[in-house]
């Protein structure tokens, strides 16, 4: 019974691959310039904990190499925290954390802007009655938002590098 199911799955995967290649689909990282361009970006770290977290996540995601880079990424971060889920005594039990990261990709030699963009990450977290648990939950939300913002910036930059390589 499993053999016909496996054969059907392999056949479906083969047909899907053929269909995608026929319509002109190309993986984002198929162009060698994309990965090389991403690894040649120097991320300028904004101040604060969120700036450090976003910069570290971007450096990991971009596989940044130390040394002189062809590109510089300037970041401007804005953080907001909104109380949600108020109790009867007007104390918030949940918070919404919003991280907005505006970025500018600049040519390393001239400093001219090549691409600008902005990503916004929104998430919620529980606020406990114990102060330490509440601080830990807030820091965890900040880390998750920074990781997600870095991932979105990486995808936008990869799409831009692929577009540049294709033209």
């Amino acid at each position: 019974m499993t053999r016909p199911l496996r054969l059907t799955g392999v056949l479906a995967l083969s047909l899907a691959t053929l269909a995608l290649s026929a319509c002109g689909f190309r993986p984002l990282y198929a162009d060698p310039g994309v990965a090389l361009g991403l690894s040649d970006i120097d991320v300028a770290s904004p101040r604060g904990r969120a700036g450090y977290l976003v910069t570290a996540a971007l450096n990991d995601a971009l596989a940044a190499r130390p040394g002189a880079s062809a590109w510089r990424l300037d970041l401007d971060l804005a953080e907001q925290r909104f109380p949600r889920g108020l109790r009867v005594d007007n104390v918030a039990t949940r918070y919404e954390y919003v991280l907005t990261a505006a970025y500018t990709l600049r040519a390393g030699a001239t400093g001219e802007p090549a691409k600008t963009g902005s990503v916004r990450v929104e998430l919620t977290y529980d606020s406990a009655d114990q102060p330490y648990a509440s601080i830990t939950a807030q820091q965890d939300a900040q880390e998750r938002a920074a990781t997600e913002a870095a991932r979105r910036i990486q995808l936008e930059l990869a799409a831009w590098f692929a577009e540049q390589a294709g033209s």
Side-chain angles (χ1 to χ4, degrees), residues 22-53:
C23 74
F25 173 78
R26 267 182 78 156
L28 183 60
Y29 291 98
D31 293 317
V34 173
L36 186 60
L38 289 175
S39 65
D40 209 13
I41 296 175
D42 180 35
V43 181
S45 179
R47 301 182 97 163
R49 184 173 191 274
Y52 170 79
L53 292 170

Side-chain angles (χ1 to χ4, degrees), residues 67-85:
S69 298
W71 303 97
R72 187 181 83 234
L73 186 66
D74 295 331
L75 296 170
D76 185 26
L77 302 179
E79 297 176 275
Q80 295 176 308
R81 192 174 84 136
F82 303 102
R84 303 288 188 236

Side-chain angles (χ1 to χ4, degrees), residues 76-123:
D76 185 26
L77 302 179
E79 297 176 275
Q80 295 176 308
R81 192 174 84 136
F82 303 102
R84 303 288 188 236
L86 298 176
R87 294 189 314 207
V88 176
D89 59 355
N90 208 23
V91 174
T93 58
R94 293 191 63 75
Y95 282 91
E96 180 181 3
Y97 178 77
V98 179
L99 177 66
T100 305
Y103 65 89
T104 304
L105 182 67
R106 299 180 184 278
T110 63
E112 289 293 319
K115 172 163 178 39
T116 60
S118 179
V119 298
R120 178 182 168 105
V121 179
E122 302 170 6
L123 49 89

Side-chain angles (χ1 to χ4, degrees), residues 107-143:
T110 63
E112 289 293 319
K115 172 163 178 39
T116 60
S118 179
V119 298
R120 178 182 168 105
V121 179
E122 302 170 6
L123 49 89
T124 60
Y125 64 93
D126 286 331
S127 177
D129 289 333
Q130 298 82 13
Y132 180 74
S134 184
I135 291 170
T136 302
Q138 182 179 352
Q139 288 178 344
D140 178 63
Q142 196 176 40
E143 290 169 13

Side-chain angles (χ1 to χ4, degrees), residues 53-59 61-62 99 101 119 121 144-157:
L53 292 170
V54 172
T55 301
L58 271 171
N59 283 333
L62 301 176
L99 177 66
V119 298
V121 179
R144 289 184 292 135
T147 302
E148 179 62 19
R151 187 188 68 80
R152 290 181 186 179
I153 291 171
Q154 176 201 14
L155 286 175
E156 288 184 15
L157 292 176

